[in-house]
Amino acid sequence: MGHKPLTGSGEDPRVAELRTAVSRLRRELAGLRIDFPDRPIAEDELAALAAMAVGGMPEIPRMRRSLLLIAGAIGSVSAVAAALREVRNAVDLFGEPPRG
């Protein structure tokens, strides 16, 4: 896909974007005063995405599964919609998993 490492850091910019987006959504979710039944699922899957980003090259199918679980768990909590969109955009940077 032509993504080059960041100058000097050697890090894939997609991974950096994913880490930033996941961090923001985690902060916003933590700041919510409302409770919803599937919040632990969203938090667990965000932790999984964060771990994948730290690992360097996330598994695309696993990232997409996490994204779906997070979106389903958060539902229509509009307070975090923009941050969720950023996570989706960051996951989309990795493209589709190879079909085989």
Side-chain angles (χ1 to χ4, degrees), residues 50-84:
M52 283 186 258
V54 168
M57 191 57 192
E59 296 176 41
I60 296 169
R62 178 66 175 104
M63 280 192 316
R64 293 196 176 283
R65 179 181 178 274
S66 289
L67 178 61
L68 287 173
L69 288 170
I70 293 165
I74 290 174
S76 61
V77 179
S78 61
V80 295
L84 178 59

Side-chain angles (χ1 to χ4, degrees), residues 6 14 18 30 35 38 51 62 68 70 73 75 85 94-95 99:
L6 296 174
R14 299 172 300 170
L18 178 63
D35 200 20
D38 292 333
R62 178 66 175 104
L68 287 173
I70 293 165
R85 190 170 32 259
F94 289 87
R99 298 190 189 263

